[in-house]
Amino acid sequence: DGGITQSPKYLFRKEGQNVTLSCEQNLNHDAMYWYRQDPGQGLRLIYYSQIVNDFQKGDIAEGYSVSREKKESFPLTVTSAQKNPTAFYLCASTQRGGEAFFGQGTRLTVV
Amino acid sequence: GESVGLHLPTLSVQEGDNSIINCAYSNSASDYFIWYKQESGKGPQFIIDIRSNMDKRQGQRVTVLLNKTVKHLSLQIAATQPGDSAVYFCAENPGILTGGGNKLTFGTGTQLKVEL
């Protein structure tokens, strides 16, 4: 079955550590996205990539980094520069002009 | 567009009533619009979509209305059920026709609560 998979589902980070969230899709979609969601709030765009080896900053890119070396994969690194990383992170993919398919999310907590 | 730092507006309806959820979008060049449903702790799921050459589209118990003049989108849910309780987001995609690339932008979202 085609879909988009995020891992892990839950992630704990110590202050000052970098962590990487995985996002893989087998839908053959060109575009992939990372969103951050805080409790009771909407989705905020962190980074997006429209094609392999290319990505653009979204609205809240500071403290995050991404790579797009393969079409299927778009990992997100939360760096120590992100001062308030505790949130729910959602990855999505779309074909050009089409609907987005979402993963089930990763809940990141700073301990 | 996004309302960073603001909590989601809430719509409370009685079971069996119709629900109407509204969304204002920002890009007059957007040509594709989508409604998503997000249950607690899960990723958003597609409900219904509409392209800019239409002003209404119906699905099973759901209808989306598009008013391009005022850049307004609405989702109507008929005979609302307890399982409809969730957060609903609209999204716009400039798509290929407008040269806006493929950047999906979400609205703030609305929390729908169904009362028994």
Side-chain angles (χ1 to χ4, degrees):
Chain A
D1 288 336
I4 182 165
T5 303
Q6 288 185 241
S7 62
K9 188 172 182 179
Y10 299 96
L11 186 58
F12 297 89
R13 191 194 94 169
K14 293 182 180 179
E15 288 197 30
Q17 275 186 338
N18 292 355
V19 291
T20 297
L21 283 59
S22 171
C23 180
E24 303 277 332
Q25 55 99 359
N26 60 2
L27 299 165
N28 200 33
H29 285 170
D30 290 317
M32 297 185 74
Y33 309 74
W34 274 106
Y35 294 91
R36 170 180 171 141
Q37 188 175 34
D38 292 286
Q41 297 188 25
L43 303 175
R44 291 188 285 167
L45 182 64
I46 305 172
Y47 268 98
Y48 67 107
S49 168
Q50 298 196 38
I51 198 168
V52 175
N53 292 321
D54 185 55
F55 49 83
Q56 289 81 40
K57 293 182 178 180
D59 302 316
I60 55 164
E62 186 175 351
Y64 300 97
S65 66
V66 293
S67 63
R68 188 83 187 277
E69 297 176 1
K70 297 187 299 181
K71 188 175 187 178
E72 303 80 23
S73 179
F74 191 41
L76 173 74
T77 297
V78 184
T79 75
S80 57
Q82 171 50 240
K83 299 306 178 187
N84 185 24
T86 295
F88 188 51
Y89 291 87
L90 285 160
C91 179
S93 70
T94 68
Q95 198 51 285
R96 187 170 290 277
E99 69 178 274
F101 290 79
F102 283 86
Q104 287 304 299
T106 293
R107 190 166 298 281
L108 174 63
T109 305
V110 174
V111 296
Chain B
E2 293 291 342
S3 297
V4 175
L6 296 180
H7 283 268
L8 299 171
T10 298
L11 173 66
S12 294
V13 298
Q14 293 290 322
E15 181 181 5
D17 287 351
N18 296 336
S19 303
I20 300 176
I21 300 171
N22 296 304
C23 176
Y25 62 92
S26 56
N27 188 344
S28 57
S30 290
D31 62 2
Y32 182 57
F33 304 88
I34 314 157
W35 278 100
Y36 288 91
K37 174 185 180 182
Q38 186 181 25
E39 297 176 332
S40 181
K42 297 183 179 179
Q45 290 183 301
F46 172 89
I47 302 173
I48 192 168
D49 59 0
I50 189 168
R51 299 218 174 257
S52 59
N53 60 351
M54 303 172 68
D55 53 20
K56 180 179 180 179
R57 190 166 186 219
Q58 288 184 295
Q60 187 178 12
R61 280 204 308 120
V62 294
T63 301
V64 55
L65 300 177
L66 174 63
N67 185 332
K68 296 181 286 295
T69 302
V70 295
K71 294 190 287 186
H72 183 267
L73 198 64
S74 69
L75 177 70
Q76 300 178 2
I77 303 173
T80 312
Q81 302 169 359
D84 294 327
S85 293
V87 176
Y88 290 81
F89 293 98
C90 67
E92 57 181 305
N93 191 334
I96 190 170
L97 296 177
T98 60
N102 208 15
K103 181 182 176 184
L104 199 64
T105 303
F106 283 81
T108 305
T110 298
Q111 172 80 57
L112 176 65
K113 293 187 176 180
V114 181
E115 299 171 347
L116 302 178

